[in-house]
């Protein structure tokens, strides 16, 4: 029972990208956090498939590759963004995560529509957040379309959120990574307005490798399509 509740809590973990209020540019403020806090016996570090002390969620990861991703059918990009630019940003983000794990089997494939993809992308109103990423095997990836001024430009304006920086973070969650406490990491849950963080940090790379690289040979590989 406890274990079941624990599992549901893990599945419902939300990615939080809370940005500083525009008026207080020098002081990022984290507005809220739905961290996994699971007092269950045999919690996330000891349950599941594998114990890996470097990643508290090592049991929450994809087991079949390539992992597919795609936009849910009927998705609508918010005003100011165009489908092509958004798709390209998403592809770049998956490419950066892929590049961090030097095993050719660790791969992603975009499918259209994405309703049956492992990672299903959609825009939706996310009050208080800019993006949500659910851990595997849920894999839902949501980006806000109600209060966020997204940018796909080389330099976002001071009131804009850089789409690639945000997508790197939420994709990391959909791959199974929790928040980082390292402010240089893309997995750090705070991103300042107008700032960019378009490359994985050494810590991001080491965490995704700890989650996948040393166990790739144990994972089941889907037939290549
Ligand atoms: C954790 O990571 C360090 C280096 O990043 C590595 O030396 C160590 O073996 C890892 N531990 C586990 C349990 O994976
Ligand atoms: C992912 O979890 C959310 C929240 O529990 C739920 O609404 C959604 O339907 C789930 N999606 C999938 C594909 O399991």
């Amino acid at each position: 029972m406890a274990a079941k509740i624990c599992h549901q809590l893990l599945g419902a973990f939300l990615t939080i990208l809370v940005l500083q209020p525009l008026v207080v540019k020098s002081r990022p403020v984290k507005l809220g956090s739905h961290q996994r806090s699971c007092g269950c016996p045999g919690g996330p570090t000891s349950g599941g498939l594998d114990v890996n002390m470097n990643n508290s969620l090592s049991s929450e990861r994809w087991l079949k590759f390539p992992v597919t991703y795609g936009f849910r059918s009927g998705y609508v990009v918010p005003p100011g963004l165009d489908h092509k630019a958004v798709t390209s940003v998403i592809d770049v983000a998956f490419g950066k995560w892929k590049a961090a794990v030097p095993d050719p089997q660790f791969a992603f494939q975009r499918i259209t529509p994405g309703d049956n993809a492992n990672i299903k992308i959609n825009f939706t109103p996310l009050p208080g957040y800019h993006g949500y990423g659910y851990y595997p095997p849920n894999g839902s990836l949501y980006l806000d379309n109600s209060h966020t001024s997204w940018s796909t430009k080389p330099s976002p304006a001071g009131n804009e959120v850089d789409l690639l920086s945000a997508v790197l973070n939420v994709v990391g969650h959909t791959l199974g990574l929790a928040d980082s406490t390292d402010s240089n990491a893309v997995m750090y849950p705070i991103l300042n307005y107008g700032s960019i963080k378009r490359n994985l940090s050494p810590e991001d790379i080491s965490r995704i490798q700890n989650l996948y690289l040393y166990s790739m040979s144990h994972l089941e590989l889907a037939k290549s399509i």
Side-chain angles (χ1 to χ4, degrees), residues 87-147:
T87 304
S88 150
V89 163
I90 301 272
D91 288 348
V92 167
F94 277 96
K96 290 192 179 224
W97 281 111
K98 173 179 167 39
V101 176
D103 184 316
Q105 294 167 338
F106 184 79
F108 305 104
Q109 181 182 34
R110 176 156 49 83
I111 60 173
T112 306
D115 302 282
N116 294 317
N118 298 125
I119 298 171
K120 297 161 273 294
I121 304 166
N122 209 349
F123 283 94
T124 193
L126 297 176
Y129 306 97
H130 299 275
Y132 274 20
Y134 288 86
Y135 289 142
N138 179 304
S140 292
L141 190 165
Y142 295 111
L143 296 166
D144 175 65
N145 65 2
S146 62
H147 62 96

Side-chain angles (χ1 to χ4, degrees), residues 167-180:
V167 165
L168 279 172
N169 175 287
V170 283
V171 167
H173 286 305
T174 63
L175 298 180
L177 292 181
D179 283 340
S180 168

Side-chain angles (χ1 to χ4, degrees), residues 52-54 210:
N52 183 334
M53 301 316 289
N54 285 335
N210 282 323

